[in-house]
Amino acid sequence: MFSAIARVFRTPDLRRKIGFTLAIIVLYRFGAHIPAPFVNFPNVTSCLDQSGSAEGLLSLVNLFSGGALLQLSIFALGVMPYITATIIVQLLRVVIPHFESLYKEGQAGQAKLTQYTRYLTIALALLQSTTLVTVARSGQLFGITGIPECESVLTNDAWWAQLLMIITMTAGTGLIMWFAELVTERGVGNGMSLLIFTSIAATFPSALWAIQQTNGFEVFLLVLAIGIAVVALVVFVEQSQRRVPVQYAKRMVGRRTLGGTNTYIPIKVNMAGVVPVIFASSLLYIPALIAQFNQTPDADGNVPGWVAWIQANFTTGDHPLYMLVYFLLIIGFTYFYVAITFNPVEVADNMKKYGGFIPGIRAGRPTAEYLDYVLTRITLPGSIYLGLIALLPLIALATVGANQNFPFGGASILIIVGVGLETVKQIDAQLQQRHYEGLLR
């Protein structure tokens, strides 16, 4: 293994790509610690020490920004606007035929969809930065009331100061998007995925140290043991796939004989990735957000009954009803997202077009029905696995009292393992091109 790593750095081209990627990551983390204009950074630091971590959707955005959101830095929004824009463009392919036709056009159509994604990212960044500045100005960003430092995190409340903060954060999102594209073109791996990986990995040391400080060394060792077991499980499931065999008939093209090969369609156990967890977290935050704006007490001084019920059941992650709804939403969104991203009819038509067939299954509609049957069967354990992994931080909060940003569960561990595996595979492929021996044995 060490000799393989040494070969990586002895290869000039690969060494240059890895160095460029690391340089972009350093710039990204540096920008995450530069406060936006008119931010009272000492007050922000004091509130962070007293509040611990954010809850709901805010915690997810803060996780993807590497903690930059609650620090109100120039990169406060992180990669979340780009992720949201990418998901929206994927969903629009289902309802807008023009987007689907662009997707099928090849490289030119993909470039057009990428351009739409960039425009949508900037629009979402404007919206999210406006919301963030408004919440920070109201003093509700950290969920603490009655503390003067948390109610005055901005040094200037003038409209032009808020506008400058919004423009700065939006420009930060555009710069992050440019960084990601540079890494994809000149570095190693997918740029946006690596930036997400960096943001999440940056929160691991502080989360583990907080667990050790608040719960003691025994709980810290227990969390580490659970983390190693969870990482092994996630690697095993992420690499698991059902290989559907495909044979291609021989055909004559001019004087050449094509086809006659055997291959397979790899159907992963977890085809949806981390998207269902993001969808479910976002949807569960909506009731608490609606209740937050309907807390006007009546004549007796009580809030409405439905608001009190939501506050009792859907604002804390350790409530059993919250966990159950969260788990069921993840299962539902997994089936929904897999149905969007993998179209059995399209795959069957492409196989038929090039003379491919599944042994024992007729080409055309029977092939599509068989693929749909296999996909439905294999998505069930994948969705249950996603739900259990996503519940790990909530279970840890309810049982051992660990920090809600439990590092070895939820979206964080899925992204860390997935991006890590993909990056290692790309380095391995480039090594095999040059040395005929890869990084992995």
Side-chain angles (χ1 to χ4, degrees):
M1 177 180 176
F2 292 107
S3 61
I5 296 175
R7 281 199 306 273
V8 170
F9 291 98
R10 281 200 303 265
T11 307
D13 185 36
L14 199 53
R15 184 175 64 241
R16 188 166 51 250
K17 287 184 176 182
I18 292 177
F20 181 81
T21 303
L22 292 177
I24 293 293
I25 288 174
V26 169
L27 286 175
Y28 172 64
R29 289 306 302 160
F30 179 72
H33 290 86
I34 300 177
F38 307 107
V39 172
N40 193 329
F41 194 69
N43 285 3
V44 170
T45 306
S46 175
C47 289
L48 280 174
D49 294 337
Q50 297 181 56
S51 65
S53 61
E55 294 184 357
L57 183 61
L58 202 61
S59 66
L60 188 69
V61 181
N62 191 52
L63 175 69
F64 281 1
S65 66
L69 175 76
L70 294 183
Q71 294 179 3
L72 294 174
S73 72
I74 59 174
F75 288 169
L77 302 180
V79 297
M80 203 62 182
Y82 185 84
I83 295 173
T84 308
T86 304
I87 294 173
I88 290 174
V89 170
Q90 280 188 335
L91 295 178
L92 286 178
R93 284 173 41 204
V94 181
V95 295
I96 300 179
H98 176 64
F99 279 65
E100 183 65 24
S101 62
L102 283 176
Y103 177 76
K104 293 179 179 179
E105 280 182 10
Q107 188 173 359
Q110 294 282 355
K112 198 71 175 176
L113 286 178
T114 302
Q115 198 70 15
Y116 290 155
T117 305
R118 291 171 184 162
Y119 293 148
L120 186 57
T121 299
I122 298 301
L124 289 173
L126 277 171
L127 179 64
Q128 292 180 15
S129 58
T130 304
T131 305
L132 179 60
V133 172
T134 304
V135 173
R137 181 172 176 269
S138 67
Q140 299 294 321
L141 181 62
F142 301 96
I144 302 177
T145 57
I147 298 179
E149 291 86 353
C150 299
E151 295 176 358
S152 59
V153 294
L154 304 183
T155 59
N156 194 331
D157 286 344
W159 66 268
W160 58 268
Q162 297 179 46
L163 180 62
L164 183 59
M165 289 183 65
I166 291 169
I167 293 173
T168 302
M169 292 180 181
T170 304
T173 300
L175 191 59
I176 291 172
M177 191 164 51
W178 182 58
F179 281 169
E181 292 181 356
L182 282 179
V183 171
T184 304
E185 292 175 6
R186 303 182 186 179
V188 176
N190 182 278
M192 192 58 70
S193 299
L194 280 174
L195 293 185
I196 299 172
F197 176 94
T198 304
S199 299
I200 296 174
T203 62
F204 269 49
S206 59
L208 288 173
W209 181 249
I211 292 173
Q212 195 275 334
Q213 291 285 89
T214 56
N215 301 96
F217 197 67
E218 293 80 6
V219 175
F220 173 74
L221 290 179
L222 176 63
V223 168
L224 278 182
I226 293 173
I228 294 172
V230 169
V231 169
L233 172 67
V234 172
V235 170
F236 176 75
V237 177
E238 292 295 323
Q239 297 287 83
S240 302
Q241 56 184 223
R242 167 73 186 275
R243 296 181 174 182
V244 179
V246 177
Q247 294 181 1
Y248 284 91
K250 291 183 179 180
R251 54 198 178 97
M252 296 295 296
V253 178
R255 294 184 177 182
R256 292 185 302 168
T257 303
L258 300 179
T261 58
N262 296 330
T263 183
Y264 59 87
I265 302 174
I267 301 179
K268 294 180 63 177
V269 174
N270 178 26
M271 289 193 66
V274 74
V275 174
V277 180
I278 298 174
F279 277 178
S281 301
S282 305
L283 196 63
L284 271 180
Y285 183 64
I286 293 176
L289 185 64
I290 295 174
Q292 186 178 354
F293 293 102
N294 292 273
Q295 296 186 2
T296 305
D298 55 16
D300 299 331
N302 300 320
V303 297
W306 65 273
V307 174
W309 186 84
I310 288 177
Q311 289 177 340
N313 297 282
F314 282 95
T315 55
T316 56
D318 56 349
H319 196 280
L321 181 61
Y322 183 96
M323 291 184 184
L324 178 63
V325 175
Y326 190 36
F327 183 76
L328 294 177
L329 280 175
I330 289 174
I331 292 178
F333 278 128
T334 303
Y335 275 94
F336 171 72
Y337 192 73
V338 168
I340 290 176
T341 54
F342 187 91
N343 188 349
V345 176
E346 183 180 348
V347 174
D349 289 343
N350 289 334
M351 287 170 53
K352 186 177 181 181
K353 186 186 301 182
Y354 295 104
F357 62 95
I358 299 173
I361 308 294
R362 293 182 60 186
R365 183 177 175 182
T367 299
E369 292 175 351
Y370 176 76
L371 290 175
D372 184 63
Y373 170 76
V374 172
L375 191 64
T376 304
R377 292 278 300 273
I378 206 168
T379 302
L380 179 61
S383 62
I384 295 174
Y385 147 80
L386 271 182
L388 292 177
I389 292 295
L391 285 179
L392 273 179
L394 308 181
I395 295 172
L397 179 67
T399 53
V400 299
N403 193 325
Q404 189 166 2
N405 284 334
F406 180 73
F408 299 109
S412 58
I413 199 67
L414 292 171
I415 294 174
I416 286 283
V417 173
V419 176
L421 287 173
E422 190 62 33
T423 305
V424 169
K425 285 180 182 177
Q426 290 201 20
I427 296 175
D428 181 65
Q430 296 203 25
L431 269 180
Q432 287 182 348
Q433 288 178 357
R434 296 167 175 83
H435 295 282
Y436 304 104
E437 187 176 352
L439 186 65
L440 304 174
R441 296 291 180 92

